[in-house]
Amino acid sequence: MPGTTGHGKPSTKGATLPSSEALLVASHLAIEAHAGQLDKTGQPYFSHCQRVANAVDGVDAKVVAYLHDVLEKGPGWSAQRLLEKGFDPLIVGAVVALTKEPAEPEATFVRRAASNSLALPVKHADLFDNLNQALAAGMDTQRYLDGLHIVEAEFNYPPRCSATLDVRL
């Protein structure tokens, strides 16, 4: 896997960004990586990253939230490149956990992401936001409902309630 030690763990070199700076760099990087991309409702893709970041607690989780789709959807981005930007290896490891591998079954991906403690709240928020987007766009929601069920039932993550979401899991 590019940008890793060969064991799925990011390799690292150089200084790590302080948390407050990492948050600013991550948000700017997400804007850059997702430039021109749209979410399911036709809004700039960055707005999805922002909603996910706003839904999680803690600076590190917010950094991961901004970066969660960069490796999968951001052309030219790798775990190694994130490390070179100064992101902590634990943050990069969570981003790698949140990156779906080619041909990886969805349930396997969700379980892999949820197995990383820093990625778990981000994956839950990501699934929840994608569910809301799919509902708003009139798209199929089953994969997001299934993912939320896995995270909540198998990883004991507390369900999130929303006045805008009236779907029973």
Side-chain angles (χ1 to χ4, degrees), residues 1 3 8 20 22 25 27 32 37 43-44 50 54 65 72 96-97 99 105-106 118 123 131-132 139 145 151 157 160:
M1 179 186 307
S20 58
V25 172
S27 65
E32 174 191 327
Q37 297 175 4
Q43 298 302 307
Q50 205 166 30
N54 288 338
E72 192 174 327
V96 169
T99 303
E106 188 69 20
L118 188 52
K123 187 61 187 167
L131 175 61
N132 278 328
M139 298 169 65
L145 291 169
V151 170
Y157 199 84
R160 184 170 170 200

PDB file of all heavy atoms in Angstrom, residues 1 3 8 20 22 25 27 32 37 43-44 50 54 65 72 96-97 99 105-106 118 123 131-132 139 145 151 157 160:
ATOM      1  N   MET A   1       0.856  -1.167   0.000  1.00  0.00           N
ATOM      2  CA  MET A   1       0.000   0.000   0.000  1.00  0.00           C
ATOM      3  C   MET A   1       0.904   1.232   0.000  1.00  0.00           C
ATOM      4  O   MET A   1       1.763   1.361   0.851  1.00  0.00           O
ATOM      5  CB  MET A   1      -0.889  -0.037   1.250  1.00  0.00           C
ATOM      6  CG  MET A   1      -1.796   1.153   1.359  1.00  0.00           C
ATOM      7  SD  MET A   1      -2.731   1.209   2.922  1.00  0.00           S
ATOM      8  CE  MET A   1      -3.475  -0.387   2.946  1.00  0.00           C
ATOM      9  N   GLY A   3       2.531   4.728   0.750  1.00  0.00           N
ATOM     10  CA  GLY A   3       2.508   5.586   1.919  1.00  0.00           C
ATOM     11  C   GLY A   3       2.435   4.851   3.240  1.00  0.00           C
ATOM     12  O   GLY A   3       2.098   5.434   4.248  1.00  0.00           O
ATOM     13  N   GLY A   8       0.309  -1.779   6.556  1.00  0.00           N
ATOM     14  CA  GLY A   8      -0.888  -0.977   6.712  1.00  0.00           C
ATOM     15  C   GLY A   8      -0.730   0.195   7.663  1.00  0.00           C
ATOM     16  O   GLY A   8      -1.660   0.926   7.915  1.00  0.00           O
ATOM     17  N   SER A  20      -3.877  22.449  16.929  1.00  0.00           N
ATOM     18  CA  SER A  20      -4.630  23.586  16.398  1.00  0.00           C
ATOM     19  C   SER A  20      -4.212  23.904  14.964  1.00  0.00           C
ATOM     20  O   SER A  20      -5.041  24.229  14.112  1.00  0.00           O
ATOM     21  CB  SER A  20      -4.455  24.818  17.282  1.00  0.00           C
ATOM     22  OG  SER A  20      -3.083  25.156  17.375  1.00  0.00           O
ATOM     23  N   ALA A  22      -2.891  21.661  12.905  1.00  0.00           N
ATOM     24  CA  ALA A  22      -3.319  20.513  12.100  1.00  0.00           C
ATOM     25  C   ALA A  22      -4.764  20.681  11.647  1.00  0.00           C
ATOM     26  O   ALA A  22      -5.113  20.338  10.515  1.00  0.00           O
ATOM     27  CB  ALA A  22      -3.154  19.217  12.888  1.00  0.00           C
ATOM     28  N   VAL A  25      -4.775  23.253   8.782  1.00  0.00           N
ATOM     29  CA  VAL A  25      -4.172  22.652   7.595  1.00  0.00           C
ATOM     30  C   VAL A  25      -5.117  21.606   6.998  1.00  0.00           C
ATOM     31  O   VAL A  25      -5.297  21.539   5.777  1.00  0.00           O
ATOM     32  CB  VAL A  25      -2.785  22.046   7.922  1.00  0.00           C
ATOM     33  CG1 VAL A  25      -2.234  21.246   6.747  1.00  0.00           C
ATOM     34  CG2 VAL A  25      -1.802  23.144   8.320  1.00  0.00           C
ATOM     35  N   SER A  27      -8.420  21.421   7.173  1.00  0.00           N
ATOM     36  CA  SER A  27      -9.578  22.031   6.514  1.00  0.00           C
ATOM     37  C   SER A  27      -9.187  22.631   5.169  1.00  0.00           C
ATOM     38  O   SER A  27      -9.903  22.452   4.175  1.00  0.00           O
ATOM     39  CB  SER A  27     -10.246  23.076   7.415  1.00  0.00           C
ATOM     40  OG  SER A  27      -9.401  24.171   7.653  1.00  0.00           O
ATOM     41  N   GLU A  32      -8.817  21.962  -0.940  1.00  0.00           N
ATOM     42  CA  GLU A  32      -7.971  21.746  -2.117  1.00  0.00           C
ATOM     43  C   GLU A  32      -8.215  20.374  -2.752  1.00  0.00           C
ATOM     44  O   GLU A  32      -8.406  20.270  -3.970  1.00  0.00           O
ATOM     45  CB  GLU A  32      -6.501  21.864  -1.703  1.00  0.00           C
ATOM     46  CG  GLU A  32      -5.512  21.512  -2.795  1.00  0.00           C
ATOM     47  CD  GLU A  32      -4.085  21.379  -2.255  1.00  0.00           C
ATOM     48  OE1 GLU A  32      -3.721  22.099  -1.305  1.00  0.00           O
ATOM     49  OE2 GLU A  32      -3.338  20.550  -2.806  1.00  0.00           O
ATOM     50  N   GLN A  37     -15.452  18.962  -6.733  1.00  0.00           N
ATOM     51  CA  GLN A  37     -16.274  17.784  -6.452  1.00  0.00           C
ATOM     52  C   GLN A  37     -17.569  18.208  -5.774  1.00  0.00           C
ATOM     53  O   GLN A  37     -17.596  19.191  -5.031  1.00  0.00           O
ATOM     54  CB  GLN A  37     -15.519  16.798  -5.548  1.00  0.00           C
ATOM     55  CG  GLN A  37     -14.257  16.249  -6.181  1.00  0.00           C
ATOM     56  CD  GLN A  37     -13.458  15.381  -5.223  1.00  0.00           C
ATOM     57  OE1 GLN A  37     -13.865  15.108  -4.094  1.00  0.00           O
ATOM     58  NE2 GLN A  37     -12.286  14.960  -5.663  1.00  0.00           N
ATOM     59  N   GLN A  43     -23.986  19.970  -3.649  1.00  0.00           N
ATOM     60  CA  GLN A  43     -23.228  21.012  -2.944  1.00  0.00           C
ATOM     61  C   GLN A  43     -21.729  20.711  -3.035  1.00  0.00           C
ATOM     62  O   GLN A  43     -21.333  19.574  -3.260  1.00  0.00           O
ATOM     63  CB  GLN A  43     -23.658  21.057  -1.473  1.00  0.00           C
ATOM     64  CG  GLN A  43     -25.116  21.403  -1.277  1.00  0.00           C
ATOM     65  CD  GLN A  43     -25.479  22.737  -1.892  1.00  0.00           C
ATOM     66  OE1 GLN A  43     -24.843  23.751  -1.620  1.00  0.00           O
ATOM     67  NE2 GLN A  43     -26.497  22.741  -2.746  1.00  0.00           N
ATOM     68  N   PRO A  44     -20.889  21.725  -2.838  1.00  0.00           N
ATOM     69  CA  PRO A  44     -19.443  21.452  -2.837  1.00  0.00           C
ATOM     70  C   PRO A  44     -19.110  20.337  -1.838  1.00  0.00           C
ATOM     71  O   PRO A  44     -19.628  20.323  -0.720  1.00  0.00           O
ATOM     72  CB  PRO A  44     -18.823  22.784  -2.394  1.00  0.00           C
ATOM     73  CG  PRO A  44     -19.848  23.809  -2.791  1.00  0.00           C
ATOM     74  CD  PRO A  44     -21.187  23.134  -2.604  1.00  0.00           C
ATOM     75  N   GLN A  50     -17.050  19.248   6.236  1.00  0.00           N
ATOM     76  CA  GLN A  50     -17.315  20.211   7.303  1.00  0.00           C
ATOM     77  C   GLN A  50     -18.415  19.707   8.237  1.00  0.00           C
ATOM     78  O   GLN A  50     -18.288  19.817   9.460  1.00  0.00           O
ATOM     79  CB  GLN A  50     -17.715  21.537   6.670  1.00  0.00           C
ATOM     80  CG  GLN A  50     -17.454  22.733   7.500  1.00  0.00           C
ATOM     81  CD  GLN A  50     -17.564  24.009   6.680  1.00  0.00           C
ATOM     82  OE1 GLN A  50     -18.330  24.084   5.709  1.00  0.00           O
ATOM     83  NE2 GLN A  50     -16.811  25.009   7.048  1.00  0.00           N
ATOM     84  N   ASN A  54     -17.968  18.871  12.162  1.00  0.00           N
ATOM     85  CA  ASN A  54     -18.806  19.524  13.171  1.00  0.00           C
ATOM     86  C   ASN A  54     -19.556  18.522  14.043  1.00  0.00           C
ATOM     87  O   ASN A  54     -19.987  18.861  15.143  1.00  0.00           O
ATOM     88  CB  ASN A  54     -19.800  20.479  12.510  1.00  0.00           C
ATOM     89  CG  ASN A  54     -19.136  21.717  11.961  1.00  0.00           C
ATOM     90  OD1 ASN A  54     -18.046  22.097  12.382  1.00  0.00           O
ATOM     91  ND2 ASN A  54     -19.773  22.345  10.985  1.00  0.00           N
ATOM     92  N   ALA A  65     -11.801  13.981  10.407  1.00  0.00           N
ATOM     93  CA  ALA A  65     -13.043  14.196   9.655  1.00  0.00           C
ATOM     94  C   ALA A  65     -12.802  15.011   8.385  1.00  0.00           C
ATOM     95  O   ALA A  65     -13.320  14.680   7.313  1.00  0.00           O
ATOM     96  CB  ALA A  65     -14.081  14.885  10.545  1.00  0.00           C
ATOM     97  N   GLU A  72      -9.122   8.668  -0.746  1.00  0.00           N
ATOM     98  CA  GLU A  72     -10.012   7.968  -1.679  1.00  0.00           C
ATOM     99  C   GLU A  72     -10.455   8.855  -2.850  1.00  0.00           C
ATOM    100  O   GLU A  72     -10.566   8.390  -3.975  1.00  0.00           O
ATOM    101  CB  GLU A  72     -11.240   7.481  -0.904  1.00  0.00           C
ATOM    102  CG  GLU A  72     -12.119   6.510  -1.651  1.00  0.00           C
ATOM    103  CD  GLU A  72     -13.229   5.970  -0.762  1.00  0.00           C
ATOM    104  OE1 GLU A  72     -13.025   5.801   0.452  1.00  0.00           O
ATOM    105  OE2 GLU A  72     -14.318   5.716  -1.310  1.00  0.00           O
ATOM    106  N   VAL A  96      -6.328   6.392   6.933  1.00  0.00           N
ATOM    107  CA  VAL A  96      -6.145   5.150   6.158  1.00  0.00           C
ATOM    108  C   VAL A  96      -7.276   4.171   6.478  1.00  0.00           C
ATOM    109  O   VAL A  96      -7.840   3.538   5.576  1.00  0.00           O
ATOM    110  CB  VAL A  96      -4.751   4.531   6.429  1.00  0.00           C
ATOM    111  CG1 VAL A  96      -4.652   3.117   5.864  1.00  0.00           C
ATOM    112  CG2 VAL A  96      -3.654   5.419   5.859  1.00  0.00           C
ATOM    113  N   ALA A  97      -7.646   4.056   7.754  1.00  0.00           N
ATOM    114  CA  ALA A  97      -8.741   3.159   8.142  1.00  0.00           C
ATOM    115  C   ALA A  97     -10.063   3.586   7.509  1.00  0.00           C
ATOM    116  O   ALA A  97     -10.922   2.745   7.230  1.00  0.00           O
ATOM    117  CB  ALA A  97      -8.873   3.127   9.663  1.00  0.00           C
ATOM    118  N   THR A  99     -10.377   4.858   4.555  1.00  0.00           N
ATOM    119  CA  THR A  99     -10.235   4.820   3.094  1.00  0.00           C
ATOM    120  C   THR A  99     -10.581   3.437   2.591  1.00  0.00           C
ATOM    121  O   THR A  99      -9.917   2.463   2.923  1.00  0.00           O
ATOM    122  CB  THR A  99      -8.795   5.204   2.695  1.00  0.00           C
ATOM    123  OG1 THR A  99      -8.498   6.501   3.238  1.00  0.00           O
ATOM    124  CG2 THR A  99      -8.638   5.223   1.183  1.00  0.00           C
ATOM    125  N   PRO A 105     -15.510  -5.235   0.294  1.00  0.00           N
ATOM    126  CA  PRO A 105     -16.948  -5.224   0.604  1.00  0.00           C
ATOM    127  C   PRO A 105     -17.270  -4.122   1.618  1.00  0.00           C
ATOM    128  O   PRO A 105     -16.486  -3.858   2.537  1.00  0.00           O
ATOM    129  CB  PRO A 105     -17.191  -6.611   1.207  1.00  0.00           C
ATOM    130  CG  PRO A 105     -16.062  -7.456   0.703  1.00  0.00           C
ATOM    131  CD  PRO A 105     -14.892  -6.518   0.577  1.00  0.00           C
ATOM    132  N   GLU A 106     -18.413  -3.503   1.447  1.00  0.00           N
ATOM    133  CA  GLU A 106     -18.794  -2.361   2.288  1.00  0.00           C
ATOM    134  C   GLU A 106     -18.787  -2.712   3.774  1.00  0.00           C
ATOM    135  O   GLU A 106     -18.260  -1.958   4.589  1.00  0.00           O
ATOM    136  CB  GLU A 106     -20.177  -1.840   1.867  1.00  0.00           C
ATOM    137  CG  GLU A 106     -20.587  -0.558   2.544  1.00  0.00           C
ATOM    138  CD  GLU A 106     -19.778   0.665   2.134  1.00  0.00           C
ATOM    139  OE1 GLU A 106     -19.132   0.662   1.080  1.00  0.00           O
ATOM    140  OE2 GLU A 106     -19.804   1.656   2.889  1.00  0.00           O
ATOM    141  N   LEU A 118      -9.953   6.252  16.756  1.00  0.00           N
ATOM    142  CA  LEU A 118     -10.040   7.641  16.301  1.00  0.00           C
ATOM    143  C   LEU A 118     -10.950   7.762  15.076  1.00  0.00           C
ATOM    144  O   LEU A 118     -11.635   8.762  14.897  1.00  0.00           O
ATOM    145  CB  LEU A 118      -8.635   8.177  15.992  1.00  0.00           C
ATOM    146  CG  LEU A 118      -8.492   9.658  15.673  1.00  0.00           C
ATOM    147  CD1 LEU A 118      -9.146  10.549  16.732  1.00  0.00           C
ATOM    148  CD2 LEU A 118      -7.015  10.009  15.521  1.00  0.00           C
ATOM    149  N   LYS A 123     -16.424   7.769  11.278  1.00  0.00           N
ATOM    150  CA  LYS A 123     -17.179   6.873  10.397  1.00  0.00           C
ATOM    151  C   LYS A 123     -18.663   6.972  10.700  1.00  0.00           C
ATOM    152  O   LYS A 123     -19.485   7.004   9.783  1.00  0.00           O
ATOM    153  CB  LYS A 123     -16.686   5.422  10.534  1.00  0.00           C
ATOM    154  CG  LYS A 123     -17.327   4.486   9.517  1.00  0.00           C
ATOM    155  CD  LYS A 123     -16.982   4.946   8.109  1.00  0.00           C
ATOM    156  CE  LYS A 123     -17.725   4.157   7.046  1.00  0.00           C
ATOM    157  NZ  LYS A 123     -17.608   4.809   5.730  1.00  0.00           N
ATOM    158  N   LEU A 131     -26.266   9.327   4.853  1.00  0.00           N
ATOM    159  CA  LEU A 131     -27.661   8.909   4.914  1.00  0.00           C
ATOM    160  C   LEU A 131     -28.580  10.110   4.697  1.00  0.00           C
ATOM    161  O   LEU A 131     -29.510  10.059   3.887  1.00  0.00           O
ATOM    162  CB  LEU A 131     -27.949   8.231   6.257  1.00  0.00           C
ATOM    163  CG  LEU A 131     -29.402   7.842   6.519  1.00  0.00           C
ATOM    164  CD1 LEU A 131     -29.904   6.844   5.476  1.00  0.00           C
ATOM    165  CD2 LEU A 131     -29.546   7.269   7.925  1.00  0.00           C
ATOM    166  N   ASN A 132     -28.308  11.199   5.401  1.00  0.00           N
ATOM    167  CA  ASN A 132     -29.131  12.408   5.222  1.00  0.00           C
ATOM    168  C   ASN A 132     -29.055  12.940   3.796  1.00  0.00           C
ATOM    169  O   ASN A 132     -30.073  13.352   3.233  1.00  0.00           O
ATOM    170  CB  ASN A 132     -28.714  13.491   6.221  1.00  0.00           C
ATOM    171  CG  ASN A 132     -29.348  13.285   7.578  1.00  0.00           C
ATOM    172  OD1 ASN A 132     -30.460  12.784   7.681  1.00  0.00           O
ATOM    173  ND2 ASN A 132     -28.637  13.668   8.615  1.00  0.00           N
ATOM    174  N   MET A 139     -32.040   9.047  -3.065  1.00  0.00           N
ATOM    175  CA  MET A 139     -31.205   7.896  -3.423  1.00  0.00           C
ATOM    176  C   MET A 139     -31.448   6.741  -2.444  1.00  0.00           C
ATOM    177  O   MET A 139     -32.015   6.924  -1.375  1.00  0.00           O
ATOM    178  CB  MET A 139     -29.727   8.294  -3.383  1.00  0.00           C
ATOM    179  CG  MET A 139     -29.365   9.393  -4.368  1.00  0.00           C
ATOM    180  SD  MET A 139     -27.709  10.061  -4.071  1.00  0.00           S
ATOM    181  CE  MET A 139     -26.699   8.647  -4.432  1.00  0.00           C
ATOM    182  N   LEU A 145     -27.686   2.788   6.159  1.00  0.00           N
ATOM    183  CA  LEU A 145     -28.399   2.178   7.288  1.00  0.00           C
ATOM    184  C   LEU A 145     -27.658   0.936   7.781  1.00  0.00           C
ATOM    185  O   LEU A 145     -27.504   0.742   8.991  1.00  0.00           O
ATOM    186  CB  LEU A 145     -29.824   1.812   6.867  1.00  0.00           C
ATOM    187  CG  LEU A 145     -30.762   2.996   6.602  1.00  0.00           C
ATOM    188  CD1 LEU A 145     -32.040   2.519   5.941  1.00  0.00           C
ATOM    189  CD2 LEU A 145     -31.047   3.746   7.892  1.00  0.00           C
ATOM    190  N   VAL A 151     -21.883  -0.146  13.070  1.00  0.00           N
ATOM    191  CA  VAL A 151     -21.157   0.712  14.012  1.00  0.00           C
ATOM    192  C   VAL A 151     -21.854   0.748  15.369  1.00  0.00           C
ATOM    193  O   VAL A 151     -21.210   0.647  16.419  1.00  0.00           O
ATOM    194  CB  VAL A 151     -20.982   2.131  13.428  1.00  0.00           C
ATOM    195  CG1 VAL A 151     -20.463   3.100  14.471  1.00  0.00           C
ATOM    196  CG2 VAL A 151     -20.050   2.100  12.222  1.00  0.00           C
ATOM    197  N   TYR A 157     -21.542   1.884  19.529  1.00  0.00           N
ATOM    198  CA  TYR A 157     -21.509   3.333  19.363  1.00  0.00           C
ATOM    199  C   TYR A 157     -22.923   3.867  19.566  1.00  0.00           C
ATOM    200  O   TYR A 157     -23.871   3.345  18.983  1.00  0.00           O
ATOM    201  CB  TYR A 157     -20.976   3.723  17.980  1.00  0.00           C
ATOM    202  CG  TYR A 157     -20.513   5.154  17.961  1.00  0.00           C
ATOM    203  CD1 TYR A 157     -19.232   5.482  18.395  1.00  0.00           C
ATOM    204  CD2 TYR A 157     -21.353   6.178  17.571  1.00  0.00           C
ATOM    205  CE1 TYR A 157     -18.798   6.800  18.425  1.00  0.00           C
ATOM    206  CE2 TYR A 157     -20.926   7.500  17.596  1.00  0.00           C
ATOM    207  CZ  TYR A 157     -19.653   7.794  18.015  1.00  0.00           C
ATOM    208  OH  TYR A 157     -19.225   9.100  18.059  1.00  0.00           O
ATOM    209  N   ARG A 160     -27.247   8.259  16.944  1.00  0.00           N
ATOM    210  CA  ARG A 160     -27.405   9.708  16.866  1.00  0.00           C
ATOM    211  C   ARG A 160     -28.832   9.992  16.439  1.00  0.00           C
ATOM    212  O   ARG A 160     -29.327   9.416  15.480  1.00  0.00           O
ATOM    213  CB  ARG A 160     -26.422  10.255  15.843  1.00  0.00           C
ATOM    214  CG  ARG A 160     -26.444  11.741  15.747  1.00  0.00           C
ATOM    215  CD  ARG A 160     -25.290  12.228  14.913  1.00  0.00           C
ATOM    216  NE  ARG A 160     -25.510  13.639  14.666  1.00  0.00           N
ATOM    217  CZ  ARG A 160     -24.947  14.297  13.691  1.00  0.00           C
ATOM    218  NH1 ARG A 160     -24.131  13.694  12.875  1.00  0.00           N
ATOM    219  NH2 ARG A 160     -25.189  15.567  13.520  1.00  0.00           N
TER     220      ARG A 160
END
